[in-house]
Amino acid sequence: MNDPASTAAPGRTSPRPAVRAALRRAAPALAVYAAIRLLGLAVLAIWSTANGKDWHTLLTARWDSLWYTRVAEQGYGYTVQLANGDVHSNLAFFPLLPWLERGLSAISPLSAADAGMVVAWLTSLAAAWALYATGERLHSPRAGVALAALWAALPVGIVQSMAYSESLFTALAAWAGYSVLTGRWVAAGVLASLAGLTRPVGAAVVAAVWITAAVTLWRERADGAGLRAALRERHRGLIPGVVLAPLGFCGYFLWVAVRQGSLTGYLDVQAGWHNGFDGGIAFGSFLWHLLSGPAFPAGLGLLIGVALVIWLYVRGVRQGQPLPLVVYGGIVLLLALTAKGYFGSKPRLMMPAYPLLLPLAVGLARWRPVRSWAVVGAVAVGSAVYGAFWLNGSGPP
């Protein structure tokens, strides 16, 4: 397993030429990503029109996007009490996306909802760039392109174009992971902190930074190297990066705790939504209910899907994925599978777990281009059709 900090480039000068060169290399991946997502939007528009619905409304003004918009426009403090007594508070939604919506709408003609969609579109491209850079660094340029394409063509890839926080979070998490791989610890800490202000699963990014830093220092000590010299010469910025990483997540968690008057304030808010983590008991019961009843085919499909993502994770570990990707992908997968509410949201919750796609991307990169692009094209069409069907139906809760 590679030492993520060993490849840091000492004495870097102006980063602009390097950034431009990296963007030129990533251009094919960004073009493929944009083409797949535009296909999804086109199919959504056609399907929605035929169904008497507005594709724009589906992307900006339903489900979580409404809650984010309300936070952007009115701040925190809004709650809804359901007939069964449940209390849904907008404190459940982390603040970075609403802050960006508010800021962008303040300096442009866009509404907060439209600003959220623009943020999603731009940050999804940023995420695709990070995925390409990761695949290129670990394997090859073709693997980087394939990784970005596969992420775009996920069955629930349409969420990447919605006024949701998944695209923003994935961009921050993927660039944080890349920063760790290249020894840019301060950048990794800042990005991890921002990811922690975006979604609760930002804790996975913090864990990836912390655990990789701990292993890096342990290896230096095991090799008999002086820790002070290592931090000064080979791992500059590691300690500040480690300190910065949890500030966003912990800051919001503590702010909600103070506001609610309880150290478990955020967990209490999530409980009002019937969210939280129970080790997978509720999800296992849900799956068993499907398998033991008339919905057996759906339960079998869900079981196969869960087995597939677990296999992809194990496959990635066996292929020698670097530690930060193993930690991050594993925690995202674990949290998604052990969440006890909104079972239909699990594919969306796993969407930021991009390391799971690396084994598939590596496999595609080894095929002949005609064959690999035929597979990507077929998957992209399937994703576009499924996304339009899904969003015109029950959609993401």
Side-chain angles (χ1 to χ4, degrees), residues 249-274:
F249 178 84
C250 292
Y252 185 68
F253 193 95
L254 292 175
W255 180 80
V256 174
V258 171
R259 186 182 178 99
Q260 296 293 97
S262 169
L263 187 60
T264 61
Y266 185 77
L267 300 179
D268 299 337
V269 168
Q270 287 282 25
W273 285 81
H274 285 290

Side-chain angles (χ1 to χ4, degrees), residues 302-315 356 360:
L302 179 58
L303 182 62
I304 293 173
V306 171
L308 175 61
V309 296
I310 293 175
W311 178 83
L312 286 172
Y313 178 72
V314 173
R315 181 68 174 171
L356 298 179
L360 298 177

Side-chain angles (χ1 to χ4, degrees), residues 21-60:
L23 183 56
R24 283 195 298 270
R25 294 198 307 272
L30 297 179
V32 170
Y33 176 84
I36 293 174
R37 294 299 340 122
L38 287 173
L39 173 64
L41 291 173
V43 173
L44 174 66
I46 294 170
W47 193 301
S48 302
T49 300
N51 208 28
K53 295 182 179 180
D54 179 23
W55 67 271
H56 176 265
T57 299
L58 294 177
L59 294 176
T60 61

Side-chain angles (χ1 to χ4, degrees), residues 178-201:
Y178 184 79
S179 296
V180 174
L181 291 175
T182 55
R184 296 171 172 87
W185 289 102
V186 173
V190 171
L191 291 164
S193 185
L194 292 173
L197 283 171
T198 306
R199 295 187 63 80
V201 75

Side-chain angles (χ1 to χ4, degrees), residues 1-8 137 178-185 212-213 216 219 235 322-324:
M1 192 172 292
N2 296 331
D3 182 348
S6 63
T7 53
R137 181 175 189 82
Y178 184 79
S179 296
V180 174
L181 291 175
T182 55
R184 296 171 172 87
W185 289 102
T212 306
T216 298
R219 285 175 177 168
H235 308 300
L323 182 60

